[in-house]
Amino acid sequence: DKSDEGEGKYLGLKWDRKCDLFYMNFKLNLGGTIRGKRQEDDLSIEGVELLHPLTKREVLRLTCQFYDSAGLGTPLIIGLRILYSQICQDTKLGMRDVLPSEMQVKIKTIVLELLKGKSLGFPRQIVFNGETNIVIFFDGSLSAYGAVAYAHSVGKGGHLLTSTAKVIGRGKYSPPQSEMAAALLAVRLGNKIKHELSDIVINNVLFIGDSQIVLNMIARGRPARMNVFFGCRVLAILADSLASQWFWCGGPDNPADLTTRPGCSARELDTDFWRQGGFISTANQENWPITPCLELNNTDGIEIKRTDISDQPDHGCIRKLIKDTVSLVRTTNVLVLISSMVARFRARKSGTPPPALYDTISKVKLSILLAFKAETDSLIENKRVSKHLVTLRVNGVWMAADRSF
């Protein structure tokens, strides 16, 4: 019993009673046990570099040894879980196989930061003063999505309450899908906090993210017109929150970004950005760099690029369009849209629509290739292409293929 020393335990955390601080109680041990007792000492910071080459099974053991129910060290733990998820995607790697050297370096770096995080103390008490808001940041990436909750009261600024994150794993999400999953996670986290703090008067719950696509979906509030993935989640979000509670902020101002990527250091957790929520540490909410999601559709001050093209775009026009949009997909979509609009316009005048210049995607792509025909012919004639390429003229256009395929 260490109560005489002013030290205790609480849900996997170390509690310093004298300073009233919580410390993350991270212990790493790869040694075996006999009758419940470890045969080796816990891993220290100095012993990280002396670790033997790890196997996939040992990385799993490391990942399962962390317990942080309070969510104070989520950015450190999620890094190791993301790394293990990447290891599992290699189906040829067995549980007892030694990991590649570059993966060994990444694991040791993350483990070193986890051990450094043991020295970070977080206050156990949060004093609410007057009007209290719960501010929840959310963010998503291709590897994970997460949410971070802060308590904000007048004159006290922001205080970290908890955080949570989930690894995407093998089920691949696009960036908007990951951001939408993070928004739903933020709503569920808010419901949990309100239930646990039912004896405290909470003025409002604010949700802040950096995805305009997701926030615009929430602002429109039309889940029936979306696909199944987004529609179901927007419906669940609007069932427990209002569009007026959602705000946009810039990516660098979002603390939830730390919970969605590997490589977070213990030093980043010992900053006001993580502990107090960055800009919400200021007492006056009017000075926060946020925008309500209901105002994101306002185009005032947005620069709109415009390109004038004719109803029969020539090759020079197509090259200019590609240069302006810097996107082959956008150029293809524009040409198809123009062809459709021109055909409808002529049909209203003559009654019978003439054959469209670009009536199929294949003709659009062929026309784009023909726009660069002169440059391609010059390369082929001057033999300025790789000797490994096989060239063939199809419909007046040079096609090239790599022999290695």
Side-chain angles (χ1 to χ4, degrees), residues 40 70 122 140 153 184 187 204 213 218 224 228 257:
E40 298 180 6
F122 295 86
S153 57
L184 180 58
V187 171
N204 196 7
I213 296 177
I218 297 173
V228 176
D257 176 66

Side-chain angles (χ1 to χ4, degrees), residues 27-28 30 54 58-66 73-88 99 103-114 167 261-264:
K27 292 183 179 180
L28 301 178
L30 293 175
L54 300 174
E58 289 175 328
V59 176
L60 177 60
R61 291 178 61 184
L62 286 175
T63 306
C64 296
Q65 289 185 23
F66 299 112
T74 300
L76 298 178
I77 298 177
I78 198 65
L80 190 58
R81 292 179 179 174
I82 291 175
L83 199 60
Y84 181 72
S85 175
Q86 296 174 355
I87 294 173
C88 291
L99 301 179
M103 193 65 69
Q104 299 277 353
V105 174
K106 293 180 180 179
I107 293 174
K108 290 181 179 180
T109 302
I110 294 177
V111 170
L112 182 62
E113 295 299 329
L114 279 164
V167 178
R261 55 179 174 83
C264 179

Side-chain angles (χ1 to χ4, degrees), residues 115-135:
L115 295 177
K116 290 180 180 179
K118 295 173 62 176
S119 62
L120 301 179
F122 295 86
R124 184 184 66 89
Q125 288 188 352
I126 298 177
V127 180
F128 295 93
N129 182 19
E131 182 178 325
T132 302
N133 294 325
I134 303 297
V135 183

Side-chain angles (χ1 to χ4, degrees), residues 311 334-348:
D311 58 350
V334 167
L335 293 177
V336 173
L337 179 61
I338 290 173
S339 176
S340 176
M341 293 175 61
V342 170
R344 292 179 183 178
F345 176 75
R346 291 176 178 173
R348 287 197 297 267

